[in-house]
Amino acid sequence: MTMADVTIMGAGVFGLALALVCAERGARVHVIEKRHIGAGSSGGLVGALAPHVPENWNDKKAFQFEALRMAASFWARVAGVSGVDPGYARLGRVQPVSADALALAHARADNAAHLWKGFATWQVMRAQDAPGLPLVTPSGWVIHDTLSARLHPRRAGQALAGAVQALGGTISTGEVPQGDGLTVWATGHEGLDDLSAALGRPIGSGVKGQSILLRHASPDAPQIFADGLHIVPHADGTVAIGSTSEREFTDAAGVDGQCDTLLARARATCPALQDAPVIEAWAGVRPRAKSRAPLLGAWPGREGHFVFNGGFKIGFAMAPVLAGCMADLVLEGRDTIPQGFGFSAL
């Protein structure tokens, strides 16, 4: 097979994961990023890799399960090639559960035993028996799953970039002209805007998210998910809290009182964080395709151009396996993209 030249526009997790997979398959890869690595939502704080609930199973949920199952080997490979620790650890997740939801939680435990194929468990337990940081839960019960994992978004981006370069790929920043050959657009919410304008119909948009980072060392604790709030301990002695979902906003990078609300909720849920100092507040815009699923495929009407975008909230979890699907299409012309992840779903 002739070595392909692939230009990837965007150095977020989608663009860098694809660059790595293409380089591993022997392609000459050039990543072009107009700002810096992880400049968009891939440069955030949280890094929660969590599954769908084990019920109403469908192809999308099954595909995400496979992505979570292969995550450990993918990130270990990235760390081995780059020499940079991406902060991955499969430590599970704890969720408070209300008394009136206990029956459903037990039913989901039975479903998980079948659907997760023995790879991981979903267990209902007393809150005092759960691992990790103590929680305030009115019912006294929690759900503990062992499938969820954490990743440090910024370190993961640096690890991916290092691995790409170690395999001979190049990464350019600044206003760099587009290269020749095959081109993949992984340019986040701005790319969705450009695609919508080019096709004359709405393809997706950006959703702002705000999060905060606390100084608190619980490196081996599972993440917490409580009524939409993520609390994710990282290995470096920090805990990330997030995030908001803002469809309307005027300042994409601005933080405001919603961060105060996140902090108050986190401290009420997890009293161990009561005196943990805030070391950073962050805001960024996540790309949300109209279908809510990631968007992969050939750019309609542009020969040799492809789209890899829309990783809204699940980009880090899905990037490793979706990068393989994109590499199949770009390098070999094989369409292995899951149903519901292409332009036909919009």
Side-chain angles (χ1 to χ4, degrees), residues 7 87 292:
T7 298
R292 288 185 61 91

Side-chain angles (χ1 to χ4, degrees), residues 49 66-79 86 88-90 119 149 320:
L49 313 185
E66 292 301 326
L68 292 172
R69 188 157 68 165
M70 70 172 287
S73 61
F74 178 86
W75 291 108
R77 190 167 88 240
V78 171
Y88 175 87
R90 185 177 147 220
F119 180 76

Side-chain angles (χ1 to χ4, degrees), residues 264-285:
R265 290 181 60 202
R267 287 175 168 168
T269 300
C270 183
L273 302 178
Q274 190 62 44
D275 297 320
V278 177
I279 57 177
E280 182 179 350
W282 176 90
V285 182

Side-chain angles (χ1 to χ4, degrees), residues 166-285:
L167 293 174
T170 61
I171 301 175
S172 300
T173 57
E175 293 294 337
V176 183
Q178 178 189 328
D180 296 325
L182 302 167
T183 303
V184 182
W185 296 85
T187 45
H189 73 99
E190 295 167 316
L192 291 179
D193 291 341
D194 293 341
L195 191 60
S196 297
L199 299 182
R201 58 189 176 96
I203 298 300
S205 59
V207 178
K208 181 179 175 179
Q210 299 183 50
S211 57
I212 55 178
L213 195 66
L214 309 182
R215 177 66 64 193
H216 181 86
S218 293
D220 300 320
Q223 63 188 268
I224 297 164
F225 183 67
D227 193 23
L229 179 75
H230 292 277
I231 301 174
V232 183
H234 288 300
D236 62 355
T238 64
V239 175
I241 312 295
S243 60
T244 66
S245 286
E246 305 166 46
R247 298 292 295 272
E248 296 183 4
F249 52 90
T250 55
D251 183 359
V255 296
D256 55 34
Q258 294 187 70
C259 280
D260 297 331
T261 301
L262 289 174
L263 180 60
R265 290 181 60 202
R267 287 175 168 168
T269 300
C270 183
L273 302 178
Q274 190 62 44
D275 297 320
V278 177
I279 57 177
E280 182 179 350
W282 176 90
V285 182

